[in-house]
Structures are given as structure tokens and as C-alpha cells.
Amino acid sequence: MAKAGEENTIKRVGGKADTKRFLESLGFVAGAVVTVVSEISGNMIVNIKESRVAIDKDMANKILV
């Protein structure tokens, strides 16, 4: 898990095809820069491509940084 305020580059997005497609539509693609804004109980608010997105713990675990 990335720490709040940390800027990371996405290396890979895992999961089933529909999960990957959903995350990619939000901007979670390999090479994209993502910054964690806050994290509560594993659920995260992140900055990606100039937008803030909230994702749950299961989705966050599918994103490898």
C-alpha cells in the first residue's frame, strides 16, 4: 500500500477483464502517475490525471505501483 502524499507510477493493473477495463476507464493504466490523497481502512482517495477518485480496498489491491 502506498502512503498518503506519495507519488507513484503504476506498473500493472490486475484483475478480471471487466475490472481492468473499469480501472483503465478511470485512468489507472501502466505508466500513469498516481498520488494517494488519503487512506481510511484500506479505502483510498487518489489523484490520477488531474482528478480525484475514490476506490475501495479490493480495487486498490489490483493496482501495482
Side-chain angles (χ1 to χ4, degrees):
M1 289 298 228
K3 304 288 184 232
E6 222 174 62
E7 196 172 273
N8 296 285
T9 303
I10 297 174
K11 304 230 183 309
R12 188 172 67 85
V13 179
K16 295 181 180 177
D18 56 337
T19 304
K20 285 175 76 170
R21 199 168 27 254
F22 173 71
L23 288 171
E24 288 171 355
S25 73
L26 293 174
F28 294 96
V29 294
V33 176
V34 63
T35 306
V36 177
V37 176
S38 68
E39 184 262 329
I40 301 168
S41 302
N43 301 318
M44 299 183 149
I45 298 175
V46 297
N47 274 342
I48 182 127
K49 295 194 177 186
E50 315 255 340
S51 299
R52 282 191 179 188
V53 178
I55 55 174
D56 67 4
K57 188 185 323 186
D58 295 330
M59 290 286 183
N61 286 331
K62 293 180 181 12
I63 302 167
L64 179 68
V65 292

